[in-house]
Amino acid sequence: MTIARVHTGRMVASIALFAVVGAVSPIFTSAQSPSPAVTPASQSTTAQRSAAKSTALPSTPTFAVASIRPNNSDHTARTHIYSYADHGHFVAINATPMQLLQYAYVLPDSRILGAPAWAKSSKYDIEGKSDTGLAEQLAALPYSGAKTQLLTMVRSLLADRFRLAAHFENRDLPVYNLVITRKGPKFSPVEETSKHIDTTGRAGSVTIDITSSSHAMADLAEILYRYTGRIVVDKTGLQGNYTINLKFAPDDARLALPSTETSSAPDTGPSVFTAVKEQLGLELKSGKGSIEILVIDHIDPPTEN
């Protein structure tokens, strides 16, 4: 697994997705309008900002223009998502619809169910821009408020161009609870630096590196889902900035090893469960939990520009 870079107008953060490096070239445009079919469970002057504050935002803000084109260049390359919330500008490069869903609904892929296979593999370049009036209104908001509005706009784009229909529901699902062992964690808080997450797999071994993350346990839980087959719930209670390193052999690699004692096959390492306990001082305990998930009822390949 590679790492996606999510860029905002004020910060750059790494998230565990797939990702491309490159500039956005001019692409086709079209009008954007409908609101998302999901059931709930430029700088302005001081005068312009004041005027924007006095004007109510639309109940469902949308991009004035949105462009989408397939990216058939390199599907192993990275995805980049550029988010300029206080300008109402959104750019995604080499992104799958699943990655857009993760971004728009702020959910890990383990909590998005029902997406078809093509939505996890087809890549697109996407750009959305708001009109000048909405951009000025967004610029007048605190950045967190502008970001919330931008996420709504991306959801509208998914509903309009991908014909997305979805709903939230709670389900009782088998989970693994990530907890601390009796001896305590084998890592300590670190000084805050640039956050980085990298997961690499080679020669039957997987290495997870999480560097300087204030959400390290949540990041680890989401990555572990990919190798345990269950949603992993962080119940460590650990707060702080951590760097985590974990190396293990995924089950498919271990099962592929010859079973004879005389085999000269290399040792690929411990199972993920053993590695989490021995290397991190944490433990994956089987359980059940009520998990809020986003269920995809319908999604189509995007309409052409």
Side-chain angles (χ1 to χ4, degrees):
M1 182 183 75
T2 54
I3 302 303
R5 301 280 290 175
V6 175
H7 309 252
T8 73
R10 300 187 180 184
M11 63 177 288
V12 178
S14 297
I15 60 174
L17 301 175
F18 295 87
V20 151
V21 178
V24 179
S25 56
I27 49 184
F28 307 107
T29 61
S30 70
Q32 163 93 36
S33 57
S35 59
V38 178
T39 304
S42 66
Q43 288 191 336
S44 61
T45 63
T46 302
Q48 288 172 323
R49 287 175 181 265
S50 298
K53 286 181 181 179
S54 63
T55 304
L57 283 163
S59 58
T60 305
T62 60
F63 295 115
V65 292
S67 54
I68 302 176
R69 69 174 184 184
N71 185 317
N72 299 314
S73 56
D74 182 0
H75 281 210
T76 66
R78 295 191 169 194
T79 298
H80 278 258
I81 294 178
Y82 298 81
S83 168
Y84 306 100
D86 48 0
H87 292 75
H89 188 193
F90 172 82
V91 177
I93 304 175
N94 206 41
T96 66
M98 174 61 89
Q99 291 169 337
L100 296 175
L101 287 164
Q102 288 179 255
Y103 177 84
Y105 291 95
V106 197
L107 288 173
D109 62 358
S110 60
R111 291 175 55 193
I112 301 175
L113 302 183
W118 70 264
K120 302 175 184 178
S121 59
S122 299
K123 300 289 188 80
Y124 301 92
D125 292 341
I126 299 171
E127 183 171 16
K129 293 182 178 180
S130 63
D131 60 33
T132 302
L134 179 56
E136 291 174 354
Q137 289 177 295
L138 293 172
L141 295 175
Y143 190 78
S144 59
K147 181 64 177 291
T148 297
Q149 296 299 317
L150 185 72
L151 294 179
T152 299
M153 295 162 74
V154 177
R155 295 177 191 178
S156 294
L157 183 148
L158 286 165
D160 177 29
R161 302 297 295 280
F162 291 83
R163 301 301 183 222
L164 173 69
H167 68 276
F168 283 101
E169 64 180 57
N170 287 331
R171 289 188 183 180
D172 288 329
L173 299 173
V175 300
Y176 285 115
N177 294 314
L178 185 64
V179 299
I180 301 173
T181 62
R182 291 182 181 179
K183 294 183 179 180
K186 296 184 179 181
F187 50 89
S188 301
V190 297
E191 290 186 9
E192 185 173 351
T193 58
S194 178
K195 179 179 177 179
H196 180 72
I197 303 175
D198 192 20
T199 303
T200 56
R202 56 174 62 93
S205 179
V206 173
T207 301
I208 299 172
D209 291 305
I210 300 173
T211 303
S212 187
S213 172
S214 58
H215 302 92
M217 297 300 99
D219 295 333
L220 178 62
E222 173 54 22
I223 297 172
L224 289 176
Y225 154 75
R226 304 173 190 275
Y227 301 99
T228 63
R230 295 187 188 181
I231 292 174
V232 177
V233 181
D234 171 26
K235 290 196 173 182
T236 62
L238 292 174
Q239 304 292 327
N241 207 64
Y242 295 100
T243 289
I244 301 292
N245 306 104
L246 183 68
K247 185 175 181 179
F248 59 91
D251 283 347
D252 54 356
R254 296 174 63 81
L255 291 173
L257 289 176
S259 58
T260 60
E261 294 182 2
T262 57
S263 169
S264 59
D267 181 8
T268 55
S271 71
V272 62
F273 299 93
T274 300
V276 166
K277 191 170 185 177
E278 293 181 349
Q279 298 172 27
L280 302 181
L282 305 177
E283 191 170 1
L284 289 165
K285 289 195 171 183
S286 182
K288 271 202 165 187
S290 179
I291 307 296
E292 184 182 55
I293 59 173
L294 180 68
V295 180
I296 306 304
D297 300 310
H298 181 86
I299 188 169
D300 286 335
T303 53
E304 296 292 335
N305 293 108

